Amino acid sequence: MSREAYINAIVVAVLLAVPLWAWVADAPFIITLATRIAILALAGVGLNIALGLGGMVSLGHAVFFGIGGYAMGILASHAQDYSPLMEWPFLIEGTKSMPVIWLAALLMSGLAALLIGFLSLRTSGVYFIMITLAFGQMFFYFTVSWPAYGGEDGLPIYVRNSFPGLNTLDPIQFFLICFAVLGLALGFSAALARSPFGLALNATRQQATRVEAVGIAPFRIRLVGFVISGMITGLAGALFADLNRFVSPTMFSWQTSGEIMVFVILGGVARLFGPVVGAAIFITLEHLLGGVSDYWHIYLGALLLLVVLFARGGVIGLLSSWRKASV
Amino acid sequence: MSAILLIEQILNGLQFGVMLFLTAAGLTLVFGVMGLINLAHGSLYMVGAFAAAAVAAATGSFFLALVASLAAAAAAGAIVEVVVIRRLYNRDHLDQVLATFALILIFSEGTRWIFGSFPLFLNIPEALSGPVTLPGGIQYSLYRLVLIGIGLAVALGLFLLINKTRLGIQIRAGENDREMIAALGIDISRLYTIVFALGAALAGFAGALVGAIQSVQVGMGEPVLILAFVVIVIGGIGSIKGALVGSILVGLTDTLGGVLLPSFFKLFMDNAAATATGTALATMAIYILMALILVVKPTGLYGAST
């Protein structure tokens, strides 16, 4: 096993062991913290497919995160006031069932990614960064000004949605759901990277012209990669909304996009477990430093600056090459 | 909709546009010359506004406040360039995005730490407050009119600087071939610092001018930054002319969309629904404009065709 694989195994073990310990020790707050880490890591796993594999620097992934959140919010709010979501041309009822909500989140964020990707992928480089950021802002302002689902104030959901056979109100059971989804997404992401499609996507990042010469259209490969990436982040959004039982336009804000990107980079771009490590560090720092100083973002900023300037490859990159560098 | 209201809104759009231009110009210049995407440009806008508010509160002079905004933003820009940005020129865009995102966090929290979370207020000077009567009997805010004048004057100054001065020649040469101008004996890193500080000063100046009609608060820079990105995407990266045209397009679309779209929907919807739909759509108008321009011309109106 490579050094990175050891690190990955340790990360998974810790992420599972800490909440289990907290469950035994009856510390539900720690479980919630671990759930946040799992969900935000999932969002990062989504972005990592676009960013790490496809080289698409999207600063607008909050769009998909938010759409996932609102898919949950809208469906659950209709279920809780027993009003149909839509009566024409066919009846759609609200729902409190997680799997159905997840499906809706995947579908809607996939559609949004298709549209945004179709427009943004006509360009590349800096244009792409700016355009994805701008589309994120567009969704943000739209949800702020659209009054039907709470507008600027957001939309509270009173009871967490249900999952067949489990009690989602129990923190540890909800954590295990999120952890399982994260595990599935990581497995999918690893399989994707090794699949012919993943290899082609990786190749468009490195040498788009050669990919074209081989007879593959880079635009379509990138678009499909972007859609898959958006869907996973959308699923994370639905879970995040369920964790907080609240959705608001903040999920669409550019800071959210920035933070998802920070998870990926802090851990290490294009490394399978990068987002998990990144989210774990971010949330732990937020928890620890947030208690010490109200201005903890300064320290976060300084740390991020140091990682970008001096630790290329993120924390996993740093750890897996530590021995090599010192010998 | 009366003609007077429409003209007023067009002037508002123009005012919004030229102030946006001051921010976008620096951003596009920095990208054109150094190839750097700077997310922290909005923070420099904020630094200018806070410096102006602090100096105005201490001295009571609006003129000194404006001078302070230029000086503080230019100094902050120069320091940031020397300490951080300089290391990013040869990195890929992802590193630039992250490092400048980190700078936003540091600037925002630092400002909150020094000035607190409450917004500061910067008052319009006595001589410029109140309305002025335009030809045709239209009453319009004198300060906003002055802003339009200042914005256009700065745009003209920038055109002259770029096209007629020695520094402008170096900047244009830097956009084309940095190795070559370094080989010709021009201190390229000094040039970069000057360009960055110039862009920062313009952004800070805009922050102070706009801060007098809005409140001066932490986080005020980022919405402007993102709009400046939309402007640059529309106008074409690296083009000052594109930034000017893009800014005015965005300013007019945003302002007129907010007024016209709700009235447009009232033609065939009931009042409440029309207002809701119109306002929601108006917030999206500039992004729809951006998407349309992208479909027609992916490199922006005045961008290089490659």
Side-chain angles (χ1 to χ4, degrees), chain A residues 1-324:
Chain A
M1 245 161 66
S2 74
R3 204 178 172 81
E4 190 179 330
Y6 278 117
I7 296 174
N8 293 347
I10 293 170
V11 169
V12 173
V14 171
L15 185 56
L16 190 59
V18 168
L20 285 178
W21 165 79
W23 177 50
V24 174
D26 195 27
F29 179 68
I30 303 283
I31 304 180
T32 307
L33 227 50
T35 315
R36 266 174 76 90
I37 293 176
I39 294 172
L40 294 175
L42 180 65
V45 170
L47 177 62
N48 208 7
I49 291 176
L51 188 66
L53 206 56
M56 294 173 272
V57 184
S58 161
L59 246 185
H61 258 52
V63 169
F64 314 122
F65 197 63
I67 286 180
Y70 270 89
M72 173 275 178
I74 290 172
L75 285 171
S77 78
H78 280 288
Q80 78 186 8
D81 1 297
Y82 303 102
S83 58
L85 180 63
M86 185 165 122
E87 289 178 75
W88 187 89
F90 40 83
L91 183 75
I92 298 182
E93 301 262 14
T95 175
K96 295 286 283 180
S97 159
M98 266 188 208
V100 180
I101 288 172
W102 293 352
L103 206 65
L106 286 169
L107 207 68
M108 294 319 289
S109 47
L111 269 176
L114 189 66
L115 195 68
I116 293 178
F118 183 77
L119 288 168
S120 317
L121 286 169
R122 300 167 65 89
T123 63
S124 60
V126 189
Y127 274 108
F128 184 79
I129 300 173
M130 294 181 184
I131 291 161
T132 47
L133 184 61
F135 277 125
Q137 202 71 353
M138 173 174 107
F139 276 84
F140 174 75
Y141 283 124
F142 179 76
T143 43
V144 166
S145 64
W146 187 248
Y149 294 103
E152 204 171 354
D153 300 328
L155 182 66
I157 300 298
Y158 304 115
V159 181
R160 188 170 285 155
N161 296 305
S162 58
F163 191 89
L166 289 172
N167 174 15
T168 52
L169 291 172
D170 180 11
I172 191 75
Q173 296 196 29
F174 184 60
F175 167 77
L176 289 173
I177 293 175
C178 298
F179 186 77
V181 173
L182 174 65
L184 285 175
L186 283 170
F188 172 77
S189 175
L192 186 80
R194 267 178 309 220
S195 70
F197 171 78
L199 294 176
L201 184 60
N202 204 350
T204 59
R205 177 176 60 88
Q206 295 173 7
Q207 263 295 352
T209 333
R210 284 192 194 164
V211 172
E212 218 166 345
V214 177
I216 304 172
F219 179 80
R220 273 161 54 193
I221 294 279
R222 285 199 184 111
L223 186 58
V224 174
F226 192 73
V227 169
I228 295 173
S229 161
M231 287 168 86
I232 296 178
T233 304
L235 182 59
L239 286 170
F240 190 73
D242 237 332
L243 172 69
N244 299 325
R245 278 168 273 170
F246 179 66
V247 277
S248 76
T250 321
M251 285 184 80
F252 282 110
S253 70
W254 69 272
Q255 285 97 336
T256 307
S257 294
E259 280 175 10
I260 299 175
M261 190 176 272
V262 169
F263 305 147
V264 176
I265 310 300
L266 213 54
V269 188
R271 291 176 195 269
L272 185 59
F273 279 73
V276 185
V277 174
I281 295 175
F282 187 92
I283 299 297
T284 314
L285 275 182
E286 180 178 53
H287 178 59
L288 294 179
L289 290 178
V292 178
S293 159
D294 285 342
Y295 309 107
W296 76 279
H297 271 120
I298 291 188
Y299 305 107
L300 176 71
L303 174 74
L304 190 60
L305 209 52
L306 290 177
V307 169
V308 175
L309 291 180
F310 303 110
R312 309 182 73 176
V315 171
I316 294 189
L318 201 64
L319 289 177
S320 30
S321 60
W322 196 270
R323 185 75 57 80
K324 281 175 237 157

Side-chain angles (χ1 to χ4, degrees), chain B residues 272-285:
Chain B
T275 310
T277 317
T279 327
L281 214 63
T283 60
M284 300 169 77

